[in-house]
Amino acid sequence: MAALRGDLQEALNRPGHTAGDARLGRSSVVRLSTLVVLIVGTLAGGYLLNDWLDPLAEVRGWVDRAGSAGPLLFVLLFLALNTVGVPLPVLGAAAGGAFGPISGATTLLVAMTITACAQFLLARYVVGERVRQRLGHTLVRVSQLLDRRGAITVAGARLMPGPFSEFNMLAGLTVLKLRDFTVGTIIGCAPKALAWSGIGALLF
C-alpha cells in the first residue's frame, strides 16, 4: 500500500505529465465547445431558414394562382408586405421563384420602384412636420446632401446594404425631388433585383 501511495505521489509530481494532461483537457474542452456551437448553429440556421421560406412560399403560391395577372399581383403584394416589414430579400427571391431570373428581376424592379415612391410620398405628405422636427439637424444634413447630388446619392445609397423602407421614408422628409428619387432608385436597385431574383430562380 505504501508503495502504491508512493507511485501515485510520484505520478502527480511529474511536471511533464501534468502539462500534458492539462493540454489534453483544454483540447477536449475546445473540441466539445466547437461541437456544441456547430449543433446550436445548425438548429438556429434551420429555424431561421424555415421562417425565411414560409412567407416566400406563400407569396409564390398567391402569384402562381393569379396566372397572367401574377406580375400585377406581385407588385401589390410587394407594396403591402414590404410596408409591414417582410424583408426585401425574401420578396426578391419569391419573384425569381415565381417568374424566373429575368422576368422576375424586371417585375421585382418595378415593384421596388413603385413601393419606394409610395413610401416616399407617404412620408412627405402624411407623416409630415412632426417627424421633421424630431429629426432636427440630422434631417437638415441629409436633405442638403440629397439636394446637391440627387439621383446619384440615392443610387449610391441603394447599392449599399441598408434598410429599404426606412430610407424611402427618410428621403420623403427631405427636399429631394420625386423624379431624382425615382431615377436613383431604378439605377441602384437594378443590381439587387437581378441578384435576388437569380437566387430565387436557382433555389426555388
Side-chain angles (χ1 to χ4, degrees):
M1 182 67 72
L4 180 58
R5 283 199 300 269
D7 291 341
L8 287 173
Q9 186 66 34
E10 182 181 357
L12 290 173
N13 290 333
R14 287 179 186 170
H17 284 206
T18 302
D21 291 343
R23 285 194 298 270
L24 181 60
R26 284 195 297 271
S27 177
S28 299
V29 170
V30 169
R31 291 176 182 175
L32 181 60
S33 300
T34 302
L35 180 61
V36 171
V37 169
L38 287 174
I39 292 173
V40 172
T42 301
L43 292 175
Y47 178 78
L48 293 175
L49 184 61
N50 284 333
D51 283 351
W52 190 85
L53 290 177
D54 282 345
L56 188 152
E58 192 170 0
V59 170
R60 182 178 177 181
W62 289 336
V63 171
D64 287 342
R65 288 191 292 272
S68 59
L72 176 60
L73 177 61
F74 179 83
V75 171
L76 296 176
L77 286 172
F78 186 100
L79 173 61
L81 295 175
N82 179 253
T83 301
V84 300
V86 176
L88 197 57
V90 173
L91 297 172
F99 303 113
I102 304 302
S103 297
T106 304
T107 305
L108 177 59
L109 183 58
V110 171
M112 292 172 73
T113 304
I114 291 176
T115 299
C117 292
Q119 293 172 350
F120 177 95
L121 294 173
L122 177 67
R124 176 158 292 182
Y125 295 110
V126 177
V127 173
E129 193 63 29
R130 194 185 318 172
V131 177
R132 290 189 181 94
Q133 292 174 354
R134 287 184 183 179
L135 293 175
H137 294 297
T138 300
L139 183 61
V140 171
R141 290 195 295 270
V142 173
S143 183
Q144 290 173 345
L145 176 63
L146 291 174
D147 188 39
R148 285 198 306 269
R149 302 193 177 182
I152 296 175
T153 303
V154 174
R158 294 298 192 194
L159 290 171
M160 295 186 295
F164 181 74
S165 297
E166 288 81 351
F167 179 78
N168 300 333
M169 296 284 192
L170 179 63
L173 296 174
T174 68
V175 296
L176 179 68
K177 296 180 176 64
L178 177 61
R179 177 196 61 199
D180 292 338
F181 176 78
T182 304
V183 172
T185 295
I186 293 172
I187 295 172
C189 287
K192 290 184 176 180
L194 284 169
W196 289 330
S197 180
I199 292 172
L202 181 65
L203 296 180
F204 305 101

